[in-house]
Amino acid sequence: MKLIAAPLSLGQLYIFRGIERHPKDQLHNIGVTYNLDHTWRVPDGVAVTRILSAFAGLVERNEVLRTTYDGIGNRSRQACQIIHRAPPIELPVLSFTGGDGKGRAAEVAEEFCIRAMDLGEQFSWRAALIVVDGRPSHIALCFHHIGVDLAAISLLREDFQRLLEGRPGPVRPGPREIAEYQGSDKWRRRSERVDRYFSEVWRQSARWEAIPLEGEGAWQWMATLKTGLTPGTLQRRASEHGLSISSLLMGVFTRALARAGSLIQPTIQLMSANRFDPALKWAAANLGQFVPVLHRTDPTERLGVHCRRLYRETLIAFRNGCYDIDRVRSLRDEAYGGWPDDDPVIYFNYAEGDSRRHADDDLEVARLSWGSVRIAVEPGFYGYVWGGTQVSLILRSFWPRFDRPQVEAVIRDMHAELVRVIVSDHELDA
């Protein structure tokens, strides 16, 4: 029962193009790359029928949960989103005897997310109600990134809780309304500003020569350093010096790469949530895109000087963080005279976890572990900082002559510099 065909929003198009460029030799991990696993706790004492009804209501109220996509994998056709009438929702109920409900739900959600989704035939989510010893415990969920980002998932979770309590919240704008807004005259001036920003980024980047992939096939590495540092302390230290915690962490990351001799590009791709516009702030949709930030890194200068420069540059980048990926790629090709899809990239992302929980800093804790790279890997580096109760530093690399010792050296360097930030004002002084 199809209802509406509509253009893709810029966030949907961004993910769509990423799917098209997914390495052909890594199709086995396309699910892990684009799927987001979550678990939602169900309040005690709520009947199964009420839970199923609330979830059906959530799907009915949010177009993004009843959308399929047409034209995927066919460049001769313009892709679009197809919004369906609310179908009958039969949420599977999985019953277990014994065990932790959250743990059971996490296992199911992970299994959901390993498998790729057929976005042309299926809605971009999977879910099941987990019942342990006869009591509803959690809902296990997998969302495809083409539909939602982390902020949207949080909003949907809030709406689900309201529906359980019998007090539906607002009907949120979805990707179709966002696509209409981004195609309107109101958006045109912003698009012109975005063009100017990216043209300047590519002009300055073109002064650099890309470092070719040398040697016999680089290894893929991923290391995690779980520290005893709390996000709250780092946030306070950054604020005391007029910085954001993201710019502080990004500054530490880029300096560590520079000291390792691996700052291979003049741009860092930084995740932009794109929820500054009041019209988009409460949308149930994917708005996140990586936006390039120009940087100059001198590992000998004081950290505070470097972070202030990054802070200014990231604020400018965020203003231009919602863009037409096709238009931006054409501007890049004009600047470079053509550019391959596998050019080296440096990504950085900071995600806040449950940082509101109290914890004490332990400057000595630094537990290193290694994991397999399960998502699609591009040549370059991906720095990720998870701000849970304590901070975890994660580095994924795919670059010639950058092996385990180099990966470990970078994240231990990051940890050491963050410790210095906590114990002294010297590094962050202007």
Side-chain angles (χ1 to χ4, degrees), residues 1 37 143 427:
M1 299 174 62
D37 60 306
F143 295 98
E427 281 295 321

Side-chain angles (χ1 to χ4, degrees), residues 8 42 77 135 142 150 190 202-203 218 224 251 272 293 309 315 332 338 376 387 389 403:
L8 298 180
V42 176
R77 294 169 57 191
R135 297 178 181 176
C142 170
L150 294 178
R190 184 181 303 194
W202 303 140
R203 185 185 69 81
T224 299
S272 178
V293 178
R309 187 166 58 243
L315 289 178
R332 187 187 69 174
T389 307
D403 295 327

Side-chain angles (χ1 to χ4, degrees), residues 69-337:
Y69 300 87
D70 186 45
I72 290 182
N74 188 342
R75 282 191 169 272
S76 64
R77 294 169 57 191
Q78 185 173 9
C80 65
Q81 54 180 315
I82 308 294
I83 297 92
H84 298 247
R85 297 185 189 278
I89 295 298
E90 297 182 5
L91 193 66
V93 178
L94 304 181
S95 297
F96 297 90
T97 301
D100 171 59
K102 184 176 182 180
R104 297 283 195 187
E107 291 173 359
V108 172
E110 182 178 15
E111 192 278 328
F112 282 164
C113 285
I114 290 173
R115 294 181 283 116
M117 293 186 186
D118 184 349
L119 298 175
E121 298 294 332
Q122 303 170 326
F123 295 145
S124 56
W125 55 271
R126 298 184 178 114
L129 174 61
I130 306 302
V131 175
V132 178
D133 296 331
R135 297 178 181 176
S137 174
H138 288 74
I139 292 183
L141 298 126
C142 170
F143 295 98
H144 196 286
H145 213 345
I146 198 170
V148 294
D149 54 21
L150 294 178
I153 293 173
S154 179
L155 293 171
L156 291 172
R157 181 176 184 173
E158 291 176 11
D159 290 350
F160 174 67
Q161 293 296 331
R162 288 195 187 99
L163 288 165
L164 281 176
E165 297 165 6
R167 51 183 190 93
V171 176
R172 302 187 183 281
R176 176 169 61 96
E177 292 173 84
I178 292 172
E180 292 172 355
Y181 178 38
Q182 292 171 338
S184 69
D185 290 339
K186 292 181 179 179
W187 195 268
R188 185 169 296 118
R189 182 175 297 178
R190 184 181 303 194
S191 297
E192 293 170 352
R193 186 188 70 207
V194 168
D195 278 4
R196 291 193 296 271
Y197 176 77
F198 276 93
S199 293
E200 180 61 17
V201 167
W202 303 140
R203 185 185 69 81
Q204 293 198 41
S205 299
R207 299 174 185 171
W208 289 49
E209 290 187 10
I211 300 176
L213 288 170
E214 298 176 357
E216 297 296 327
W219 286 94
Q220 302 172 13
W221 303 102
M222 187 177 78
T224 299
L225 191 72
K226 294 185 177 180
T227 79
L229 312 181
T230 63
T233 297
L234 293 174
Q235 176 70 68
R236 188 184 72 251
R237 295 296 285 153
S239 298
E240 288 170 353
H241 293 269
L243 299 168
S244 67
I245 185 173
S246 181
S247 61
L248 169 60
L249 294 168
M250 186 178 175
V252 168
F253 171 61
T254 52
R255 280 159 58 92
L257 278 183
R259 281 192 282 259
S262 298
L263 209 58
I264 56 177
Q265 283 288 313
T267 60
I268 302 291
Q269 299 286 332
L270 184 66
M271 174 58 73
S272 178
N274 291 319
R275 292 183 179 265
F276 306 106
D277 187 329
L280 305 178
K281 187 173 183 179
W282 307 112
N286 169 44
L287 298 175
Q289 292 177 264
F290 279 98
V291 58
V293 178
L294 283 164
H295 69 88
R296 301 179 302 280
T297 300
D298 177 358
T300 65
E301 73 181 352
R302 194 166 293 177
L303 176 63
V305 176
H306 178 58
C307 289
R308 282 178 179 80
R309 187 166 58 243
L310 274 178
Y311 186 46
R312 291 191 297 270
E313 292 168 349
T314 54
L315 289 178
I316 295 171
F318 283 154
R319 293 184 67 217
N320 301 282
C322 194
Y323 54 87
D324 182 334
I325 183 63
D326 292 342
R327 173 65 179 160
V328 163
R329 286 173 65 83
S330 69
L331 292 173
R332 187 187 69 174
D333 290 344
E334 290 174 13
Y336 291 137

